[in-house]
Each structure stands twice: as C-alpha cells, then as structure tokens.
Amino acid sequence: MGGSSSSSSSSSKDAQDLFRALWSAYASTPTNLKIIDLYVIYAVFTALIQVVYMALVGSFPFNSFLSGVLSCVGTAVLAVCLRIQVNKDNKEFKDLAPERAFADFVLCNLVLHLVIMNFLG
C-alpha cells in the first residue's frame, strides 16, 4: 500500500520536471513566435467561450454558432501554419520569406472570412 504514494509523488515530480524543462526550452523561443502562440490561444479560447455559451443558452441560429466557431478554429489553424512557416528552426520553409508567409496568412484569412460571411447568409 505504501508503494502507491511513492509512485504518486514520483510521477508528480516527473511531471514538474517535465513542465520546468518545457518552460525553460520555451523561454528561448523568439518573440514573434510567442506572439503567434498567444494569438492561437486567444482564437481557441474564443471558440471555447462560444461553445460554452451555446451549451448554456442554446443554439437557435445554429449557422451563426457554426460560423463563429469555424472562424475561430480556422483562424487558429492558419496561425499555426504561419508559425510553422516563420520558424527559423524549420528547414522545410527556409527559402520562404516571412513577409510572404504573412501575406499568405492574410489572404487565407480573407478567403476564410468571406466564406464564413457567405455562410451566415
């Protein structure tokens, strides 16, 4: 019986060590990538708020709910793609200028939101 508490504290210590290692590795991340990360978190959090609101209040104009959530999720996905393309450590996109990646991001967001506006009716 005493072994379970020691394995519990051991796994808790391992989780804390993992969190510290991830945090120290993330501290060396460039500022522009951290800003994109914050934008992704904001978009996902906004989608979650909309889902909670729909669960509490209802989803009478269901296409409005879908448009809002898909807008947030689509924007988050496009931001993750931007982060992958702008990351200097990613050798796959080393020849792609950050300005070009941002222009692609803006254009794709424009198309995404035009489709969403059309879906609203």
Side-chain angles (χ1 to χ4, degrees), residues 46-56 65 69:
T46 304
L48 289 175
I49 288 174
Q50 290 178 12
V51 169
V52 168
Y53 179 82
M54 189 259 332
L56 294 175
F65 163 71
V69 171

Side-chain angles (χ1 to χ4, degrees), residues 9-76:
S9 77
S10 172
S11 65
S12 174
K13 182 171 174 12
D14 290 343
Q16 289 176 353
D17 290 342
L18 177 64
F19 182 74
R20 283 191 196 103
L22 286 173
W23 188 253
S24 65
Y26 189 73
S28 65
T29 302
T31 305
N32 61 345
L33 296 181
K34 288 181 181 179
I35 292 171
I36 295 172
D37 292 341
L38 286 175
Y39 182 70
V40 169
I41 291 168
Y42 169 75
V44 170
F45 184 69
T46 304
L48 289 175
I49 288 174
Q50 290 178 12
V51 169
V52 168
Y53 179 82
M54 189 259 332
L56 294 175
V57 176
S59 65
F60 165 60
F62 192 66
N63 57 344
S64 297
F65 163 71
L66 279 180
S67 295
V69 171
L70 292 177
S71 171
C72 292
V73 171
T75 300

Side-chain angles (χ1 to χ4, degrees), residues 87-108:
N87 191 356
K88 296 291 182 199
D89 295 335
N90 191 351
K91 303 300 181 202
E92 190 171 333
F93 295 102
K94 66 179 178 176
D95 296 331
L96 184 68
E99 293 82 9
R100 166 69 193 270
F102 185 71
D104 290 346
F105 170 74
V106 170
L107 181 66
C108 289

